[in-house]
Amino acid sequence: MQIVGEQIKLARLRRNLSIAQIAERATCSPLTISRVEKGAATVSMGIYLRVLYALQLEEDVLLLAKEDPMGRALQDLQLKQRERASKKE
């Protein structure tokens, strides 16, 4: 979460926006934005999403868990092997 917070902070700074401006756009307090930027796990996921929306980064949420090599490997293990039909004589 700390890395996510740092990335959000960098995105805000690149846009030259203050914490107060993002707080207003995300309809939360500046203290909450500070907590988001520190990666506080006590802040709800909804707040993180509103902050991303305020930064016009809402599409980034779609990238979460996009690549799932372990899940795909587990899924492949559960696939049934096709059995060949017996040859009729």
Side-chain angles (χ1 to χ4, degrees):
M1 291 304 292
Q2 187 177 2
I3 293 170
V4 172
E6 289 173 10
Q7 290 174 338
I8 288 173
K9 181 177 182 175
L10 288 173
R12 176 182 63 80
L13 293 174
R14 279 188 223 109
R15 287 161 177 73
N16 200 27
L17 295 169
S18 69
I19 288 179
Q21 289 171 313
I22 294 299
E24 184 179 334
R25 292 180 184 184
T27 62
C28 60
S29 72
L31 180 61
T32 301
I33 299 300
S34 294
R35 288 181 181 153
V36 165
E37 290 184 354
K38 290 177 184 172
T42 56
V43 177
S44 75
M45 197 64 188
I47 297 290
Y48 278 93
L49 294 175
R50 290 189 345 219
V51 170
L52 289 173
Y53 182 78
L55 292 167
Q56 298 178 338
L57 293 171
E58 65 273 9
E59 295 295 320
D60 286 6
V61 174
L62 300 176
L63 301 176
L64 290 173
K66 183 177 180 181
E67 298 295 323
D68 186 12
M70 181 187 291
R72 290 184 187 271
L74 291 170
Q75 184 181 30
D76 290 345
L77 289 173
Q78 293 177 356
L79 294 177
K80 293 182 180 178
Q81 295 291 328
R82 278 184 37 186
E83 293 181 22
R84 292 186 172 201
S86 62
K87 292 184 180 179
K88 294 182 182 177
E89 293 184 25

